[in-house]
Amino acid sequence: MLVLVLNCGSSSVKFQLIQTSPEAIEAGTEKKLARGNIEKIGMTTAIVSFQAEGKPPVKETPVILEHRVAIERVLTLLTDPQVGILKSRNEIGAVGHRVVHGGEKFSKSQVITEEVYRQIVECCELAPLHNPHNVRGYEIAHELLPDVPHVAVFDTAFHQTMPEYAYIYGLPMVVYRRHGIRRYGFHGTSHRYLTWRMQKLLNKPASEFNLITCHLGNGCSITAVERGKSVDTSMGFTPLEGLIMGTRSGDLDPAVVLHIMAKEELTLHEANTMLNKHSGLIGVSGVSNDMRELVKESQKGNKAARLAIDLFCYRLKKYIAAYYGVLNGADALAFTGGIGENSPLIRSLSCAGLDCIGIQIDPERNEKLNGSEGRISPDDGKVGVYIVPTDEEMMIARDTVHAVAGKL
Amino acid sequence: MIREVGVVGAGETGRGIVQSAAGAGINVVFCETSEERVAEAIAAITAVLDHEIERWGLTKTEKTVILSRIRGVTSFEDLKSAPMVIEAVHDDWALKSKVFTALDRVLPPEAILVTNTSSLSITQLAAQTHRPDRVVGMHFLLPVPKRPLVEVVRGLHTSDETVRRAKEFAADINKTAIEVFEYPGFVTTRLILPLLNEAMHVVMEGVASAADVDTAMTLGYNFPTGPLELADRIGLDEVLLWMEQLFRELGDLKYRPCPLLRKMVRAGHLGVKTGRGFFAYDERGKKKKES
């Protein structure tokens, strides 16, 4: 079956075409036939990049003012005789949609029925910046491809197995009941992919090991996975909680927010943007939100850049140690995401001084394996430390196949 | 959502509308009388956005994106592609009617003409055009990007569809619209002015000091700014102009301008813009602490 994976953001559409089937998933022989990206939708010119297997890459800058036009463009590219790979859009067997928030209603991926659609729309209240675009993407794709099943894959679903004591905040319970204020967690599809992949690397089923997964990209989160199930994760009600991120503060004394708002006479909007867009690595360093830049600057002796790196790694280390405790010991620790996969320095700093709980990194492996999959802890290390490049699209395609077959 | 909007006049209100629309993802073409004025307007908007960045309300990338949606022109011809054009020139009948006549001639007949007047008659402006059903008032409050309200004003011939489109545009730029029929002062001006005027009477009659009047209203009724400071910020000459207009139009004694207001205007104490009104202000418009 050919699955089109769609990820619609506020001004972007990312997509992949994946050839897959229950058998291919079993055998690990799924194939990516095409991938692409449309950015800057609604701006003066959009940026389209696309490549199908064995075909020349496409880079163009048309005017795309709307998601509908963008998704139509996706289908046109896929069926283009020169650069595309399909004869007709009818060859697409199903569409998998990334949906950020599934609230408490969805603990696994779902074929989108009218009822499911209604419930996803209800979740817009919890993720007003993301879900509306995901919903819009589905509505358009459903109109353009009305005869195939559409499946929603939620970022929050994997974390629905967290126990109550891990997801309830120490606040009056009435705010949970009235407004759904609780910890939901995000990046679930990535943490789940890592869990699945570690079965191959450790050569045993997920039910037989405990795992800590670190997704370190633009947004960062860490998850404690107990025998295949998420039991705690660092992001909470929104993606702001937990680790230090590129532009987000992560954990904070909530009184600080109230105090700053009073002192600087900030509006809700200004306070929100400060925490989400002006904090984290960029806020502390004043240099960049890009870890590669910070490492370079730090090597040149920039103290603010070094401080940002130290904060980032220290916070991460605290979480790793805490989740080790939550799990009563972990068999493995996996790094993924732009930073997790590509920064030997961050991996080594955040694991430094954790040999007390059996976490060690082999410096040579850490450098040599950078960017690719494999073990970076020494052979006799008690906890296996791994790099596992994530693949959320593959996971969405898999879920789509399974959901359509009714096997989720 | 409307894709493009035209704005005529880039004074404080015009720039505010330009910034609000571009900030909400709408492309804006604004028209000024010369290239210099276009450049000045862009510089002023850039300064406001930079200030927003300093207040953590915006990122540099967002600023670039917002500015990329704004285009300044010097001819009404260049507004032709916009389905809606908002006139925000000085609130003066001769000027506004000239602009309206010219816009009506240049713009395609289906385009909606919006006037930002707070005092002139929409019906009378609409009569200058061949499309009175597609003329509507939108009264924005200053500073436009910070005030989430707009009064959508119906003239006698304004069609329901035009009102609907104006309300839709208000929603697109994240403002709540209230619908009002053409009448002197609409709602906001008509209600706030007598309050400011009455506060001045209280001071004039020696009931309480200016500072205490403002404290009474900020603490007692949760006003973000006291009525006398608000009058200083609007400009006492403006307040007087307004009161006189309401008094003239409605003829009711309750709109009679307070003699103290008249006296202060004659003395040149116009509020924030002259550094002195009921209170003293520094160059940045910040109220000075009383010594």
Side-chain angles (χ1 to χ4, degrees):
Chain A
M1 179 198 273
L2 290 180
V3 176
L4 175 63
V5 177
L6 275 183
N7 180 355
C8 288
S10 61
S11 63
S12 69
V13 173
K14 293 180 196 152
F15 62 98
Q16 291 193 0
L17 185 71
I18 299 176
Q19 186 173 48
T20 174
S21 64
E23 299 73 36
I25 294 171
E26 201 59 45
T29 55
E30 303 128 295
K31 242 172 104 181
K32 295 201 173 180
L33 299 182
R35 63 177 76 197
N37 211 341
I38 302 184
E39 292 164 292
K40 298 198 171 186
I41 296 168
M43 293 172 207
T44 325
T45 49
I47 302 175
V48 179
S49 40
F50 172 76
Q51 178 154 33
E53 203 181 59
K55 298 290 174 78
V58 177
K59 197 100 182 158
E60 50 187 37
T61 51
V63 178
I64 297 182
L65 294 178
E66 255 218 303
H67 283 79
R68 173 183 304 278
V69 181
I71 294 174
E72 274 170 2
R73 187 86 202 117
V74 169
L75 296 177
T76 315
L77 283 166
L78 286 170
T79 52
D80 184 279
Q82 262 84 50
V83 299
I85 196 149
L86 299 178
K87 283 197 182 66
S88 138
R89 60 177 68 173
N90 296 331
E91 290 174 56
I92 295 170
V95 184
H97 296 267
R98 180 203 181 198
V99 178
V100 168
H101 218 305
E104 289 188 320
K105 295 182 184 103
F106 300 111
S107 54
K108 57 184 187 189
S109 302
Q110 299 279 338
V111 175
I112 308 179
T113 58
E114 261 182 47
E115 175 62 12
V116 170
Y117 168 73
R118 200 182 53 74
Q119 291 180 338
I120 296 174
V121 171
E122 275 176 24
C123 292
C124 285
E125 203 176 318
L126 294 170
L129 297 181
H130 296 103
N131 267 36
H133 305 293
N134 306 151
V135 168
R136 186 82 193 110
Y138 159 72
E139 289 167 349
I140 297 163
H142 180 65
E143 268 178 59
L144 297 173
L145 298 165
D147 301 323
V148 302
H150 291 253
V151 174
V153 180
F154 304 94
D155 277 24
T156 50
F158 184 53
H159 303 301
Q160 280 296 305
T161 46
M162 279 194 284
E164 209 175 16
Y165 55 75
Y167 70 70
I168 292 289
Y169 285 113
L171 291 169
M173 276 305 272
V174 70
V175 297
Y176 167 59
R177 288 194 293 265
R178 272 189 204 150
H179 308 293
I181 309 283
R182 53 158 280 182
R183 310 184 62 253
Y184 291 97
F186 297 88
H187 289 148
T189 310
S190 180
H191 291 293
R192 191 154 56 94
Y193 175 84
L194 261 60
T195 308
W196 172 82
R197 193 65 207 156
M198 284 306 298
Q199 301 183 107
K200 309 267 172 195
L201 292 165
L202 295 175
N203 200 19
K204 49 185 169 187
S207 58
E208 288 178 19
F209 60 85
N210 288 342
L211 172 69
I212 299 170
T213 51
C214 307
H215 179 107
L216 313 175
N218 257 335
C220 301
S221 69
I222 173 169
T223 298
V225 185
E226 186 179 61
R227 307 191 179 285
K229 286 185 173 153
S230 167
V231 291
D232 203 350
T233 190
S234 58
M235 283 179 169
F237 178 64
T238 73
L240 187 54
E241 192 180 336
L243 302 175
I244 301 253
M245 308 174 213
T247 60
R248 296 190 194 121
S249 66
D251 292 340
L252 202 66
D253 176 346
V256 167
V257 183
L258 307 177
H259 194 78
I260 301 174
M261 285 184 76
K263 284 278 173 200
E264 299 272 347
E265 297 183 15
L266 297 187
T267 60
L268 282 177
H269 168 78
E270 286 162 349
N272 191 25
T273 331
M274 175 197 265
L275 296 171
N276 275 295
K277 296 182 179 171
H278 292 273
S279 299
L281 297 176
I282 181 89
V284 173
S285 71
V287 174
S288 172
N289 60 336
D290 187 328
M291 188 57 92
R292 288 165 296 192
E293 287 292 314
L294 289 181
V295 171
K296 265 190 228 154
E297 282 298 315
S298 150
Q299 282 160 353
K300 282 192 233 156
N302 185 321
K303 287 202 174 118
R306 180 67 207 197
L307 178 62
I309 295 172
D310 285 343
L311 242 75
F312 183 94
C313 295
Y314 178 66
R315 178 81 54 88
L316 179 55
K317 176 179 162 176
K318 281 209 285 191
Y319 265 99
I320 293 173
Y323 285 178
Y324 188 88
V326 164
L327 294 168
N328 190 15
D331 299 280
L333 168 67
F335 285 96
T336 197
I339 301 172
E341 293 166 30
N342 301 308
S343 179
L345 178 71
I346 299 306
R347 289 191 299 264
S348 84
L349 282 179
S350 51
C351 292
L354 286 180
D355 34 354
C356 58
I357 51 172
I359 294 177
Q360 281 175 289
I361 287 187
D362 177 322
E364 200 179 314
R365 287 181 181 175
N366 189 27
E367 287 289 342
K368 232 171 91 191
L369 268 173
N370 196 33
S372 53
E373 189 177 272
R375 180 176 168 122
I376 55 170
S377 52
D379 289 335
D380 59 351
K382 200 175 124 223
V383 177
V385 184
Y386 289 81
I387 302 172
V388 182
T390 193
D391 195 340
E392 288 158 285
E393 291 78 13
M394 189 61 90
M395 212 63 204
I396 293 175
R398 256 176 220 162
D399 275 19
T400 304
V401 169
H402 286 143
V404 169
K407 282 192 214 152
L408 263 180
Chain B
M1 184 158 169
I2 194 166
R3 272 292 147 205
E4 186 181 55
V5 71
V7 176
V8 178
E12 192 184 355
T13 309
R15 292 197 306 270
I17 299 168
V18 170
Q19 188 195 326
S20 299
I26 298 168
N27 293 321
V28 191
V29 198
F30 74 90
C31 188
E32 253 300 343
T33 47
S34 67
E35 290 295 342
E36 293 77 57
R37 287 195 165 221
V38 165
E40 275 167 31
I42 299 270
I45 293 170
T46 310
V48 173
L49 295 177
D50 282 336
H51 181 68
E52 278 293 298
I53 295 175
E54 266 172 46
R55 309 238 339 130
W56 306 287
L58 201 70
T59 64
K60 285 182 188 155
T61 321
E62 286 165 341
K63 172 186 147 188
T64 314
V65 171
I66 291 172
L67 288 174
S68 78
R69 295 197 185 105
I70 301 174
R71 193 158 59 90
V73 300
T74 54
S75 157
F76 288 170
E77 292 282 332
D78 295 319
L79 300 172
K80 273 182 175 165
S81 56
M84 178 183 277
V85 173
I86 303 167
E87 165 279 307
V89 301
H90 192 65
D91 218 6
D92 169 83
W93 168 256
L95 181 60
K96 278 204 197 285
S97 65
K98 208 175 93 194
V99 168
F100 256 64
T101 314
L103 283 174
D104 185 49
R105 207 169 39 233
V106 173
L107 298 181
E110 66 277 9
I112 290 179
L113 275 176
V114 181
T115 175
N116 173 61
T117 188
S118 43
S119 63
L120 301 173
S121 160
I122 314 293
T123 307
Q124 208 177 349
L125 274 172
Q128 311 298 306
T129 71
H130 295 95
R131 64 184 94 200
D133 58 321
R134 258 154 295 160
V135 174
V136 64
M138 285 183 93
H139 178 218
F140 292 88
L141 281 81
L142 291 174
V144 179
K146 300 267 179 214
R147 293 283 172 272
L149 176 86
V150 60
E151 289 178 292
V152 171
V153 191
R154 263 178 193 273
L156 191 61
H157 299 293
T158 309
S159 72
D160 289 345
E161 172 62 10
T162 302
V163 170
R164 190 190 65 74
R165 296 266 301 274
K167 282 182 168 175
E168 196 175 78
F169 172 68
D172 284 346
I173 61 171
N174 306 313
K175 311 240 180 263
T176 300
I178 61 158
E179 191 178 327
V180 303
F181 286 87
E182 185 181 324
Y183 207 77
F186 310 140
V187 174
T188 50
T189 314
R190 166 134 172 219
L191 287 184
I192 199 68
L193 281 178
L195 183 92
L196 304 188
N197 202 49
E198 198 59 27
M200 294 169 199
H201 273 289
V202 169
V203 174
M204 190 180 73
E205 290 162 21
V207 179
S209 70
D212 282 354
V213 167
D214 273 17
T215 303
M217 298 312 279
T218 48
L219 297 186
Y221 288 97
N222 236 347
F223 277 39
T225 313
L228 296 170
E229 185 184 336
L230 180 59
D232 281 350
R233 295 201 174 278
I234 294 171
L236 297 185
D237 51 340
E238 291 283 322
V239 174
L240 178 60
L241 205 73
W242 280 97
M243 285 303 292
E244 281 172 337
Q245 199 152 357
L246 281 181
F247 189 36
R248 200 165 49 237
E249 291 262 350
L250 297 164
D252 194 317
L253 275 179
K254 67 184 172 191
Y255 302 111
R256 186 169 61 93
C258 174
L260 176 59
L261 170 64
R262 210 179 278 285
K263 191 152 77 178
M264 289 180 74
V265 171
R266 284 179 181 148
H269 296 174
L270 306 184
V272 175
K273 58 184 160 191
T274 58
R276 188 158 171 200
F278 286 92
F279 305 101
Y281 302 87
D282 65 18
E283 313 77 57
R284 297 175 63 201
K286 227 177 139 138
K287 196 164 128 189
K288 284 187 189 160
K289 287 255 186 307
E290 279 163 72
S291 48

